[in-house]
Amino acid sequence: MRDALWPEHDGLPLAVAVGAAGRGEGRIAVDDPSTRRTIGWCEPADAAGVDRAVDAAERAFASWAGDPAVREAAMLRGAAAIADRAEELAAMIVREVGKARFEADGDIGGGVHLLRTFAALAPRAEGLTDLTGEEGSGSADEVLVHRVPVGPMAVITPWNTPVYLTLNCVGPALAAGCTVVVKPAEAAPLGVTAALRLLAEQLPDGVLQVVQGTGPDAGTALTGHQRIRGVLFVGGVAAGRAVLASAADTIKKVSLELGGNDPALVLEDAVIDDASVTEIVSGAFSVSGQVCFAIKRVYVHRSRHDELVRALEAAVDRLVIGPGDGRGVHLGPLTTEAGFANAVRLRDDALAAGARVHEGGIAADGADLAAGRFVRPAIVTGLPRDHELVLAEQFAPLLPVIAVDSDDDAVAEANRTEFGLASSVWSSDPERARRVALRVQAGNTFINAHRVGASVPIVPFGGVKQSGLGRNHLMHAVSECMEEHAVVRYTDPASQIRGIEPWLSAAGTD
């Protein structure tokens, strides 16, 4: 009989600390957004628990940083342990996040792939660059730049893709030689905590710790901790500001992947067919629109507006909505009560502003949509360009489509927000598309694509403006967990006498 992935409280799964932190006071309910029923608990750590976790991470750091081959082997064992329990983990993510089963499978499978990929990068992490004799090296006999791990790091990640996004931070930190303390999102802590426990069991004691709790409590205690030397955060803009402020007092390295309001610019010469429409719908409505770089607004040339809207409306009419484990489900419920309330408000405000809201979706067999936080996928037209649904990050399956009169008009509208995570340009002319893409203020711009998986791993991924600081993907992510240490050697300091003559003269030395 297999070990249980979760301890229990009152017969329900319990997310608790992993490692030294221990348990604090009270519990936070975790519910199934399809039914709003409690399905588990999260047991938050107090400040003393965070201290214990950081202490353990600090003690483990020197040994873990020492041998990249040990890191690679341990991470690969951890990836295998998670893969072995993938079915159970995915089933839990369906329940606590609400996403469709195929999306939960991708969350686990993608996370395992990431962990294996970063494990293979561990031997490359601690690089050494020899700049001896290069222009700018002066008369030094040896100039070496070492890449060294930052130290104990905090990882704070969101609930929408909990395992994948967490391992996308934990993986590079471990590969770099850092020890890690993770605080999962309290809205969906069960699946990711179990996955992290499986990983931690394959690592030396103290290398990977997990503390539970809310952002203002456990999160702030962690990001502001004196002995945490770096923070990797994925989440919303407001929470990112709080993380940056908390980390400022101790001047630590911070990487933030924050929210987006990603525009899709459909140019006059774009191909509008089944493939492109499927791509746009997939990019907008995956995880019920709860993806940071989902398409959240479409700007289409006025001459193609009606054609695109008809195609999008026909596509959303075919989407199946229901509990994530239902047969053929594309869209599950919204995960949090606050997100659901905001989506309903934005939809109602759009209607009040005179917009046309085309709600699609087919209820899955036996689905009781009224019991959960379900919002039907909708194409919204006729909105003012400055409406909140257009300019805010809605994080819901509500897609505004706005007519524009030129490429210049589309670019100006795309750039008018403070977001800048990802974007897309749709055109049959590669050169025209590239010219437009380079004018969009974003960390990533796709051409004729925009969905989960469109960003290739070899390129850096991250945001500009208020969508974040730093970059991830492969060695870009590992670099966020490392510092550069320059070591400059002089064999004969006396040979540098010409450089210090003014100082000797000022001191009265012959």
Side-chain angles (χ1 to χ4, degrees):
M1 182 176 179
R2 287 188 165 198
D3 293 338
L5 284 175
W6 298 274
E8 289 190 353
H9 171 71
D10 288 344
L12 296 176
L14 182 65
V16 297
V18 174
R23 301 180 180 183
E25 297 292 329
R27 293 181 181 86
I28 301 169
V30 179
D31 74 1
D32 178 345
S34 295
T35 62
R36 292 187 169 94
R37 295 172 183 163
T38 298
I39 59 167
W41 306 93
C42 172
E43 199 160 55
D46 55 17
V50 173
D51 279 339
R52 288 193 295 273
V54 176
D55 286 345
E58 188 175 43
R59 288 193 301 271
F61 171 62
S63 176
W64 179 248
D67 189 341
V70 169
R71 298 201 296 272
E72 180 179 11
M75 291 171 68
L76 289 175
R77 292 195 302 270
I82 296 171
D84 186 52
R85 308 297 290 270
E87 289 288 321
E88 298 162 86
L89 294 169
M92 177 57 77
I93 287 175
V94 168
R95 295 188 69 199
E96 61 181 339
V97 177
K99 61 170 60 179
R101 179 57 191 253
F102 73 90
E103 293 173 327
D105 288 339
D107 195 340
I108 304 299
V112 168
H113 175 72
L114 280 174
L115 196 53
R116 288 172 172 155
T117 299
F118 284 118
L121 295 178
R124 294 171 49 191
E126 295 180 17
L128 175 66
T129 305
D130 188 346
L131 299 177
T132 306
E134 298 285 339
E135 184 176 357
S137 63
S139 55
D141 295 288
E142 186 177 62
V143 181
L144 302 176
V145 179
H146 299 258
R147 285 160 50 89
V148 298
V150 168
M153 297 193 74
V155 167
I156 301 178
T157 49
W159 43 258
N160 58 339
T161 310
V163 173
Y164 183 92
L165 290 177
T166 299
L167 293 179
N168 198 36
C169 295
V170 169
L174 293 178
C178 299
T179 51
V180 184
V181 183
V182 181
K183 191 207 82 68
E186 66 273 18
L190 295 164
V192 67
T193 298
L196 291 172
R197 179 177 290 107
L198 292 168
L199 172 58
E201 288 171 352
Q202 303 302 318
L203 308 177
D205 289 346
V207 169
L208 177 60
Q209 310 277 305
V210 181
V211 298
Q212 305 292 346
T214 66
D217 295 325
T220 298
L222 188 56
T223 57
H225 201 286
Q226 181 70 39
R227 283 167 291 141
I228 288 291
R229 298 312 321 151
V231 178
L232 301 176
F233 174 82
V234 182
V237 174
R241 292 193 193 105
V243 167
L244 201 57
S246 173
D249 285 344
T250 48
I251 313 297
K252 58 193 61 176
K253 192 168 186 178
V254 178
S255 174
L256 306 173
E257 183 184 321
L258 305 179
N261 185 8
D262 294 8
L265 283 62
V266 182
L267 307 187
E268 189 175 8
D269 63 351
V271 174
I272 298 175
D273 58 10
D274 288 346
S276 61
V277 169
T278 298
E279 183 80 8
I280 292 173
V281 168
S282 172
F285 297 108
S286 292
V287 197
S288 296
Q290 300 172 116
V291 176
C292 58
F293 68 101
I295 298 174
K296 298 183 178 70
R297 48 193 169 126
V298 176
Y299 296 105
V300 56
H301 192 274
R302 194 172 301 278
S303 66
R304 309 297 300 281
H305 175 271
D306 292 351
E307 175 188 2
L308 178 62
V309 168
R310 285 194 299 270
L312 291 174
E313 289 179 349
V316 299
D317 285 346
R318 296 190 292 270
L319 297 178
V320 179
I321 181 170
D325 56 1
R327 182 177 178 182
V329 166
H330 298 103
L331 278 75
L334 299 191
T335 305
T336 69
E337 192 63 41
F340 174 76
N342 188 59
V344 172
R345 179 185 65 82
L346 287 171
R347 181 193 62 198
D348 292 348
D349 285 353
L351 287 167
R356 178 174 182 267
V357 178
H358 177 92
E359 293 185 284
I362 305 166
D365 290 344
D368 182 4
L369 301 187
R373 294 191 279 267
F374 292 97
V375 174
R376 288 185 178 274
I379 304 300
V380 184
T381 54
L383 270 179
R385 294 184 177 191
D386 61 352
H387 192 276
E388 183 182 358
L389 181 58
V390 179
L391 300 184
E393 182 184 29
Q394 66 269 43
F395 233 54
L398 307 172
L399 182 64
V401 181
I402 310 295
V404 293
D405 296 307
S406 65
D407 294 357
D408 290 346
D409 191 15
V411 170
E413 290 303 312
N415 291 342
R416 73 183 294 186
T417 78
E418 282 301 307
F419 295 100
L421 188 56
S423 58
S424 57
V425 176
W426 302 75
S427 170
S428 58
D429 182 341
E431 290 301 322
R432 179 183 185 184
R434 190 178 303 111
R435 289 195 303 270
V436 172
L438 288 171
R439 296 170 60 197
V440 178
Q441 296 166 355
N444 283 241
T445 300
F446 311 112
I447 294 176
N448 297 329
H450 192 155
R451 55 173 165 72
V452 173
S455 181
V456 295
I458 198 170
V459 303
F461 183 84
V464 302
K465 298 194 285 189
Q466 292 192 29
S467 284
L469 301 171
R471 292 294 183 267
N472 62 48
H473 279 185
L474 298 183
M475 287 304 296
H476 305 286
V478 175
S479 294
E480 294 291 329
C481 307
M482 306 199 79
E483 302 281 16
E484 292 181 322
H485 183 186
V487 178
V488 182
R489 177 173 62 82
Y490 293 94
T491 301
D492 182 6
S495 68
Q496 306 304 310
I497 192 70
R498 293 178 59 189
I500 61 172
E501 281 176 345
W503 293 92
L504 295 176
S505 298
T509 303
D510 292 333

